[in-house]
Amino acid sequence: MAEKTSVKVYRPHIPSPARRRVNRLGRGGLQAVIIAFFTIFAAFPFYWMLIATFKTNQDLYRPINNPFIFNQSPTLDNLKLLFNETNYAVWIGNSIFIGIAVVLITLLLAVPAAYALARLSGRLGEQLGILMFMVYLIPPTLLFIPMSRVITLLGLRDSIWSLILVYPTFTVPFCTWLLMGFMKSIPADIEEQATVDGYTRFGGVVRVIMPLALPGLLTVVVFSFTLTMHEFIYALAFVSVSAQKVISIGVTSELIRGDVYFWQSIMSAGIIVAIPVALIYNIFLNRFVAGFTLGAVKG
């Protein structure tokens, strides 16, 4: 008589509905804690700048006061000092004008260069694109002496036009390399189809390629504009007249007088330009990230 053998059947452990609900709540709670931590970490500088803008000297500098709240009534004196005793509004206008001019010059030069390198030069185009990107890696301090000579010969010292001339030397090489990756990601068959439909090469680029490369173009706009807003070395070296200064040097050179720091006005100058830029940055964040990643992979 054959001996009976017992077979052990494996049964996976299935948690009860109550247990699954607890696990789900635990994961959600952990994610909420992590998101809250990074949100507070990122937003705290803005909160500090905002609250310091309206603090009096006695409230800000007294050690026993709580630095995170108003211990005395808020004041507008710091904003009055910023707008009435400095050229802050002029600095904002100069920064915006320079940013728009640099963006237009960068797009005008980088778009056709990137298209030509991606479509017309074959492998040589790729090597030239990498060479242009290497130019961007040269430290600005090394280019300062030849740039200073050029600005002097052209008579552009103490003028915002010196910055409009210098900044594209940084933005055009990098943006050309970045846009070259976008152009390569667009299939050449689309251009051929546009030619079959009756477009010229220029018409196909304008009506077909440019809409498809819109994330890359927006990335170029944001990158070029933000670079002009925070650049410091050339703005400090080439411009010393108050009416021709930009925000990055105007605030630091005229609100720090000797060993006297007008901290509240400095904070207000920063928060006034930081909040609009941060909002615009968040609106185009997805396109900006897509532009950098696609351009870097394909370039």
Side-chain angles (χ1 to χ4, degrees), residues 139-141 144 163 167 230-239 248-249:
T141 50
F144 171 76
L163 303 180
Y167 288 161
H230 71 251
E231 200 281 332
F232 186 82
I233 296 176
Y234 288 103
L236 179 65
F238 294 150
V239 178
S248 59
I249 60 167

Side-chain angles (χ1 to χ4, degrees), residues 278-296:
L279 292 176
I280 295 173
Y281 212 82
N282 276 278
I283 292 174
F284 296 106
L285 181 61
N286 291 335
R287 292 181 180 273
F288 190 65
V289 173
F292 261 112
T293 53
L294 186 58

Side-chain angles (χ1 to χ4, degrees), residues 233-252:
I233 296 176
Y234 288 103
L236 179 65
F238 294 150
V239 178
S240 59
V241 178
S242 179
Q244 297 289 312
K245 288 181 178 177
V246 293
I247 294 176
S248 59
I249 60 167
V251 171
T252 53

Side-chain angles (χ1 to χ4, degrees), residues 133-234:
F133 178 71
M134 297 297 289
V135 173
Y136 173 75
L137 299 180
I138 298 176
T141 50
L142 294 180
L143 299 174
F144 171 76
I145 294 177
M147 288 290 184
S148 178
R149 181 65 175 165
V150 171
I151 296 300
T152 302
L153 289 175
L154 295 177
L156 296 178
R157 279 199 173 276
D158 290 333
S159 170
I160 59 175
W161 293 103
S162 63
L163 303 180
I164 294 175
L165 178 66
V166 170
Y167 288 161
T169 62
F170 312 143
T171 58
V172 171
F174 179 77
C175 293
T176 300
W177 172 79
L178 190 68
L179 285 174
M180 194 174 70
F182 265 96
M183 299 301 179
K184 286 183 177 179
S185 69
I186 300 173
D189 296 341
I190 297 179
E191 290 183 70
E192 294 175 0
Q193 185 62 46
T195 305
V196 171
D197 291 341
Y199 287 118
T200 61
R201 179 179 288 273
F202 180 77
V205 170
V206 173
R207 295 177 180 273
V208 178
I209 301 301
M210 291 298 105
L212 294 176
L214 185 60
L217 298 178
L218 289 176
T219 303
V220 169
V221 171
V222 174
F223 172 80
S224 302
F225 191 82
T226 53
L227 185 142
T228 62
M229 292 290 286
H230 71 251
E231 200 281 332
F232 186 82
I233 296 176
Y234 288 103

Side-chain angles (χ1 to χ4, degrees), residues 72 92 181 258 270 277:
Q72 298 180 1
I92 292 178
V277 173

